[in-house]
Amino acid sequence: MRKLKLQDFKNFLEKINFFNKINIEEKTKRSLKIFSIFFGMIFGMTAILVTLTLASRSSWKLGLAFEMQQVLERYDEGTYTVGKNIPLSSNISTSAAVYSLLKKDMKANERHFGVIVRIPSILGPVPAVFIYSEKNKKSDIKFAGYALDNGKATSMIKIQSSSNVMKYWEDMIPKIISKTEM
């Protein structure tokens, strides 16, 4: 592979003749060409990053649904099945996700939601899963578990998590559900 030299770069700049048509000094033309190339590269990299971020959203949602399903299996095996993602119209959507839940023997006047929330802990942010159920306009909130691999971290977080933190999030779940786009 041939190494690029300064002369090759100068030749490239000469081929771009947009600035040659404008009546300005050569030094200014050269500076404008360099800045144009620089900002073009920044724009191109930004466009690539935005495209990749938008393309990865669906796999991110599928991953969250899979993690929630695993927690629900440990909580109450076979009772709940994770359904569709329900978009949130709030800034909390960066730290929480809501999914519809299907429950065995579910009655017509019941609705169930699974909420996965990033909760701060001594080990850093931890994803916690809550079940929100509505029956005859009465709501019930249950903590299902943490979306972590079983091990030392899980037992440490169970010991460290205070009832005040859980009470706070149990109070927040109805507010999060109210901000869904249903």
Side-chain angles (χ1 to χ4, degrees):
M1 188 170 172
R2 188 171 78 97
K3 290 186 178 180
L4 292 176
K5 298 179 183 174
L6 183 60
Q7 187 60 40
D8 293 335
F9 184 68
K10 287 180 181 178
N11 290 339
F12 174 73
L13 291 178
E14 291 300 321
K15 289 179 184 176
I16 303 174
N17 62 3
F18 171 75
F19 293 111
N20 290 338
K21 297 176 184 175
I22 302 172
N23 191 15
I24 52 179
E25 292 180 24
E26 285 300 315
K27 190 175 182 181
T28 307
K29 286 182 189 180
R30 186 169 183 270
S31 295
L32 285 173
K33 287 178 187 178
I34 291 172
F35 283 122
S36 297
I37 291 169
F38 175 74
F39 285 112
M41 289 177 9
I42 288 178
F43 178 77
M45 288 189 302
T46 303
I48 289 170
L49 286 174
V50 167
T51 303
L52 291 175
T53 301
L54 292 176
S56 68
R57 277 187 178 175
S58 62
S59 78
W60 179 256
K61 289 176 186 176
L62 286 174
L64 285 176
F66 177 74
E67 291 293 326
M68 183 180 289
Q69 185 64 49
Q70 286 186 325
V71 170
L72 293 174
E73 288 294 323
R74 287 191 304 260
Y75 174 70
D76 197 6
E77 190 172 324
T79 303
Y80 293 100
T81 304
V82 177
K84 291 196 288 186
N85 177 274
I86 301 171
L88 289 169
S89 58
S90 170
N91 291 338
I92 192 89
S93 65
T94 59
S95 295
V98 179
Y99 290 86
S100 62
L101 295 180
L102 303 172
K103 184 179 180 183
K104 279 187 180 177
D105 305 325
M106 191 164 84
K107 296 178 178 61
N109 60 350
E110 291 182 25
R111 294 189 327 171
H112 301 279
F113 301 98
V115 181
I116 187 165
V117 182
R118 193 173 13 188
I119 294 178
S121 75
I122 194 164
L123 300 175
V126 178
V129 176
F130 291 88
I131 300 171
Y132 178 83
S133 303
E134 282 183 354
K135 184 177 181 181
N136 297 328
K137 302 209 180 204
K138 291 184 179 180
S139 62
D140 183 33
I141 301 159
K142 298 175 195 157
F143 173 67
Y146 296 104
L148 294 172
D149 295 331
N150 287 331
K152 290 182 181 179
T154 305
S155 58
M156 178 71 98
I157 289 173
K158 286 180 182 176
I159 293 168
Q160 297 283 327
S161 61
S162 70
S163 61
N164 290 338
V165 171
M166 288 307 185
K167 179 71 175 140
Y168 170 79
W169 284 105
E170 287 175 0
D171 291 342
M172 285 297 293
I173 298 299
K175 294 174 185 173
I176 292 171
I177 295 292
S178 71
K179 299 203 184 284
T180 58
E181 297 173 2
M182 293 188 293

